Amino acid sequence: MARALGVVGRCLSGAPATFTWLAVLAVTTRVQRAAGGSRSQLLRSQSTNLNHLSEEPTRVLAASLFWLDGKSWWPYVPPFAAVLAPAERRLGTVRWLVVGTVAHLTGTYLGQGYLRWSIRARQAPPRLADAHDVGVSYFLLGVAGTLSAYLPRRRRARVRAAAVGVLAANAMVRPTFTEVGHLSAFITGLALSPLATDRDTTRTTGGCTG
Protein backbone atom coordinates (compact mmCIF):
# COMPACT_ATOMS: atom_id res chain seq x y z
CA MET A 1 0.00 0.00 0.00
CA ALA A 2 2.79 2.43 0.90
CA ARG A 3 4.52 1.71 -2.40
CA ALA A 4 1.30 2.30 -4.34
CA LEU A 5 0.71 5.58 -2.52
CA GLY A 6 4.28 6.59 -3.33
CA VAL A 7 3.73 5.94 -7.04
CA VAL A 8 0.49 7.96 -6.98
CA GLY A 9 2.28 10.78 -5.19
CA ARG A 10 5.04 10.85 -7.81
CA CYS A 11 2.43 10.88 -10.58
CA LEU A 12 0.63 13.86 -9.08
CA SER A 13 3.74 15.84 -8.18
CA GLY A 14 5.35 15.19 -11.57
CA ALA A 15 2.39 16.55 -13.53
CA PRO A 16 0.65 19.14 -11.33
CA ALA A 17 -0.99 21.09 -14.16
CA THR A 18 -2.43 17.93 -15.74
CA PHE A 19 -4.12 16.69 -12.60
CA THR A 20 -5.25 20.13 -11.44
CA TRP A 21 -6.88 20.61 -14.85
CA LEU A 22 -8.54 17.19 -14.59
CA ALA A 23 -9.94 18.12 -11.18
CA VAL A 24 -11.33 21.40 -12.54
CA LEU A 25 -13.00 19.49 -15.39
CA ALA A 26 -14.63 17.20 -12.83
CA VAL A 27 -16.15 20.25 -11.16
CA THR A 28 -17.35 21.93 -14.37
CA THR A 29 -18.87 18.64 -15.55
CA ARG A 30 -20.93 18.51 -12.37
CA VAL A 31 -21.93 22.14 -12.92
CA GLN A 32 -23.23 21.46 -16.40
CA ARG A 33 -25.13 18.39 -15.19
CA ALA A 34 -26.81 20.56 -12.57
CA ALA A 35 -27.70 23.13 -15.23
CA GLY A 36 -30.34 20.80 -16.65
CA GLY A 37 -32.16 22.43 -19.55
CA SER A 38 -29.74 25.36 -19.50
CA ARG A 39 -26.75 23.10 -20.23
CA SER A 40 -26.72 23.80 -23.97
CA GLN A 41 -26.81 27.56 -23.41
CA LEU A 42 -24.03 27.28 -20.80
CA LEU A 43 -21.72 25.39 -23.15
CA ARG A 44 -22.49 27.69 -26.06
CA SER A 45 -21.49 30.69 -23.95
CA GLN A 46 -18.03 29.12 -23.42
CA SER A 47 -17.56 27.99 -27.02
CA THR A 48 -14.91 29.07 -29.52
CA ASN A 49 -17.46 29.38 -32.31
CA LEU A 50 -17.29 31.94 -35.10
CA ASN A 51 -19.48 34.46 -33.31
CA HIS A 52 -17.48 34.41 -30.09
CA LEU A 53 -14.10 34.41 -31.84
CA SER A 54 -15.06 37.63 -33.58
CA GLU A 55 -16.40 39.28 -30.40
CA GLU A 56 -14.42 37.95 -27.40
CA PRO A 57 -11.69 35.58 -28.59
CA THR A 58 -9.43 35.72 -25.53
CA ARG A 59 -12.17 34.79 -23.09
CA VAL A 60 -13.57 31.84 -25.02
CA LEU A 61 -10.17 30.49 -26.05
CA ALA A 62 -9.35 30.16 -22.35
CA ALA A 63 -12.81 29.22 -21.07
CA SER A 64 -13.44 26.49 -23.64
CA LEU A 65 -10.57 24.43 -22.20
CA PHE A 66 -12.40 23.98 -18.91
CA TRP A 67 -15.64 22.48 -20.22
CA LEU A 68 -16.43 19.13 -21.84
CA ASP A 69 -19.06 18.65 -24.53
CA GLY A 70 -20.46 15.59 -22.80
CA LYS A 71 -22.06 14.52 -19.56
CA SER A 72 -19.28 12.13 -18.47
CA TRP A 73 -15.91 13.11 -17.03
CA TRP A 74 -14.31 9.70 -16.46
CA PRO A 75 -13.49 8.91 -20.15
CA TYR A 76 -10.93 11.73 -20.01
CA VAL A 77 -8.98 10.22 -17.12
CA PRO A 78 -7.06 7.65 -19.29
CA PRO A 79 -5.84 10.17 -21.93
CA PHE A 80 -4.86 12.63 -19.23
CA ALA A 81 -2.91 9.94 -17.39
CA ALA A 82 -1.44 8.31 -20.51
CA VAL A 83 -0.65 11.38 -22.64
CA LEU A 84 -0.79 14.69 -20.81
CA ALA A 85 0.84 13.59 -17.56
CA PRO A 86 3.87 11.86 -19.18
CA ALA A 87 4.26 14.81 -21.53
CA GLU A 88 4.25 17.30 -18.67
CA ARG A 89 6.88 15.25 -16.82
CA ARG A 90 9.11 15.06 -19.90
CA LEU A 91 8.63 18.56 -21.29
CA GLY A 92 8.18 20.41 -18.03
CA THR A 93 5.04 22.38 -17.27
CA VAL A 94 6.04 25.50 -19.23
CA ARG A 95 6.89 23.76 -22.52
CA TRP A 96 3.89 21.46 -22.06
CA LEU A 97 1.66 24.51 -21.74
CA VAL A 98 3.25 26.18 -24.77
CA VAL A 99 2.70 23.11 -26.97
CA GLY A 100 -0.88 22.59 -25.85
CA THR A 101 -1.83 26.25 -26.12
CA VAL A 102 -0.38 26.68 -29.61
CA ALA A 103 -2.14 23.49 -30.75
CA HIS A 104 -5.39 24.69 -29.19
CA LEU A 105 -5.13 28.03 -30.99
CA THR A 106 -4.17 26.46 -34.31
CA GLY A 107 -6.83 23.76 -34.16
CA THR A 108 -9.49 26.29 -33.20
CA TYR A 109 -8.70 28.89 -35.85
CA LEU A 110 -8.10 26.47 -38.72
CA GLY A 111 -11.20 24.46 -37.83
CA GLN A 112 -13.36 27.56 -37.54
CA GLY A 113 -11.76 29.01 -40.66
CA TYR A 114 -12.81 25.88 -42.52
CA LEU A 115 -16.33 26.27 -41.11
CA ARG A 116 -16.46 29.91 -42.24
CA TRP A 117 -15.49 28.84 -45.76
CA SER A 118 -18.08 26.03 -45.67
CA ILE A 119 -20.83 28.46 -44.66
CA ARG A 120 -19.87 30.92 -47.39
CA ALA A 121 -19.78 28.07 -49.93
CA ARG A 122 -23.21 26.96 -48.69
CA GLN A 123 -21.82 23.59 -47.65
CA ALA A 124 -22.73 24.15 -44.00
CA PRO A 125 -25.75 25.89 -42.41
CA PRO A 126 -25.20 29.44 -41.07
CA ARG A 127 -26.47 28.39 -37.62
CA LEU A 128 -23.14 26.62 -37.05
CA ALA A 129 -21.54 30.03 -36.53
CA ASP A 130 -22.97 29.68 -33.01
CA ALA A 131 -22.10 26.00 -32.57
CA HIS A 132 -20.74 24.28 -29.48
CA ASP A 133 -16.95 24.06 -29.57
CA VAL A 134 -15.50 23.32 -26.14
CA GLY A 135 -13.13 20.69 -24.80
CA VAL A 136 -9.57 19.54 -24.51
CA SER A 137 -9.06 17.59 -27.73
CA TYR A 138 -6.94 20.13 -29.64
CA PHE A 139 -4.63 20.65 -26.64
CA LEU A 140 -4.45 16.89 -26.07
CA LEU A 141 -3.68 16.03 -29.70
CA GLY A 142 -1.05 18.73 -29.95
CA VAL A 143 0.71 17.43 -26.86
CA ALA A 144 0.41 13.87 -28.19
CA GLY A 145 2.13 14.97 -31.40
CA THR A 146 5.08 16.38 -29.49
CA LEU A 147 5.14 13.46 -27.06
CA SER A 148 5.60 11.11 -30.03
CA ALA A 149 9.10 12.57 -30.38
CA TYR A 150 10.06 10.36 -27.44
CA LEU A 151 9.25 7.15 -29.29
CA PRO A 152 12.25 5.07 -30.40
CA ARG A 153 13.63 6.33 -33.69
CA ARG A 154 12.93 3.05 -35.48
CA ARG A 155 9.19 3.39 -34.78
CA ARG A 156 8.72 7.14 -34.55
CA ALA A 157 8.15 7.93 -38.23
CA ARG A 158 5.76 5.01 -38.76
CA VAL A 159 3.62 5.84 -35.75
CA ARG A 160 3.45 9.51 -36.68
CA ALA A 161 2.55 8.77 -40.29
CA ALA A 162 -0.17 6.36 -39.18
CA ALA A 163 -1.64 8.93 -36.78
CA VAL A 164 -1.67 11.67 -39.42
CA GLY A 165 -3.21 9.22 -41.89
CA VAL A 166 -6.03 8.30 -39.52
CA LEU A 167 -6.79 11.93 -38.66
CA ALA A 168 -6.65 12.99 -42.33
CA ALA A 169 -8.93 10.13 -43.37
CA ASN A 170 -11.35 11.07 -40.62
CA ALA A 171 -11.36 14.68 -41.82
CA MET A 172 -12.08 13.55 -45.38
CA VAL A 173 -14.86 11.16 -44.37
CA ARG A 174 -16.38 13.63 -41.91
CA PRO A 175 -15.28 17.10 -43.09
CA THR A 176 -16.38 19.07 -40.03
CA PHE A 177 -14.59 21.91 -38.26
CA THR A 178 -13.84 19.56 -35.37
CA GLU A 179 -12.06 16.97 -37.49
CA VAL A 180 -10.09 19.65 -39.35
CA GLY A 181 -9.13 21.06 -35.98
CA HIS A 182 -7.99 17.66 -34.72
CA LEU A 183 -5.70 17.13 -37.70
CA SER A 184 -4.33 20.67 -37.47
CA ALA A 185 -3.63 20.36 -33.74
CA PHE A 186 -1.73 17.09 -34.10
CA ILE A 187 0.40 18.41 -36.96
CA THR A 188 1.12 21.49 -34.83
CA GLY A 189 2.37 19.19 -32.09
CA LEU A 190 4.64 17.43 -34.56
CA ALA A 191 6.02 20.78 -35.70
CA LEU A 192 6.80 21.68 -32.09
CA SER A 193 8.82 18.51 -31.50
CA PRO A 194 12.09 20.50 -31.18
CA LEU A 195 10.79 21.51 -27.74
CA ALA A 196 11.29 17.87 -26.73
CA THR A 197 14.99 18.56 -26.25
CA ASP A 198 15.85 15.19 -24.68
CA ARG A 199 13.88 13.14 -27.20
CA ASP A 200 16.77 10.88 -28.21
CA THR A 201 17.67 9.71 -24.72
CA THR A 202 16.80 6.21 -23.58
CA ARG A 203 14.24 7.35 -21.04
CA THR A 204 10.71 6.05 -21.70
CA THR A 205 7.58 8.17 -22.18
CA GLY A 206 5.42 6.43 -19.63
CA GLY A 207 5.42 5.73 -15.93
CA CYS A 208 5.50 8.02 -12.94
CA THR A 209 8.97 7.34 -11.64
CA GLY A 210 10.96 9.31 -14.24
Side-chain angles (χ1 to χ4, degrees), residues 141 144-145 148 157-170 183 186 190:
L141 283 167
S148 69
R158 291 198 300 271
V159 171
R160 288 174 154 188
V164 171
V166 168
L167 291 170
N170 205 30
L183 175 61
F186 186 76
L190 295 181

Side-chain angles (χ1 to χ4, degrees), residues 81-152:
V83 176
L84 292 181
E88 186 179 359
R89 285 192 295 273
R90 290 304 302 265
L91 293 168
T93 301
V94 173
R95 285 183 292 165
W96 174 89
L97 186 60
V98 168
V99 170
T101 300
V102 173
H104 176 58
L105 293 172
T106 304
T108 297
Y109 277 103
L110 290 183
Q112 291 296 324
Y114 172 77
L115 176 59
R116 185 187 300 276
W117 173 85
S118 298
I119 292 173
R120 288 176 175 172
R122 298 185 179 180
Q123 296 183 5
R127 61 180 173 79
L128 289 182
D130 197 34
H132 287 181
D133 191 15
V134 297
V136 304
S137 59
Y138 299 159
F139 191 110
L140 177 65
L141 283 167
V143 170
T146 299
L147 185 63
S148 69
Y150 293 112
L151 290 169

Side-chain angles (χ1 to χ4, degrees), residues 74-88:
W74 64 265
Y76 291 87
V77 175
F80 268 64
V83 176
L84 292 181
E88 186 179 359

Side-chain angles (χ1 to χ4, degrees), residues 5-122:
L5 290 175
V7 171
V8 171
R10 285 192 295 272
C11 284
L12 295 176
S13 63
T18 295
F19 292 109
T20 299
W21 188 12
L22 191 59
V24 172
L25 288 170
V27 173
T28 57
T29 300
R30 292 183 64 88
V31 169
Q32 61 173 290
R33 283 182 185 173
S38 301
R39 175 179 174 272
S40 180
Q41 182 178 354
L42 171 64
L43 291 182
R44 188 172 289 110
S45 71
Q46 310 300 318
S47 292
T48 50
N49 54 45
L50 286 172
N51 289 339
H52 286 151
L53 286 176
S54 64
E55 297 168 359
E56 45 184 352
T58 302
R59 183 189 72 81
V60 293
L61 283 165
S64 62
L65 286 168
F66 296 98
W67 298 87
L68 300 173
D69 195 5
K71 296 182 179 180
S72 296
W73 167 83
W74 64 265
Y76 291 87
V77 175
F80 268 64
V83 176
L84 292 181
E88 186 179 359
R89 285 192 295 273
R90 290 304 302 265
L91 293 168
T93 301
V94 173
R95 285 183 292 165
W96 174 89
L97 186 60
V98 168
V99 170
T101 300
V102 173
H104 176 58
L105 293 172
T106 304
T108 297
Y109 277 103
L110 290 183
Q112 291 296 324
Y114 172 77
L115 176 59
R116 185 187 300 276
W117 173 85
S118 298
I119 292 173
R120 288 176 175 172
R122 298 185 179 180

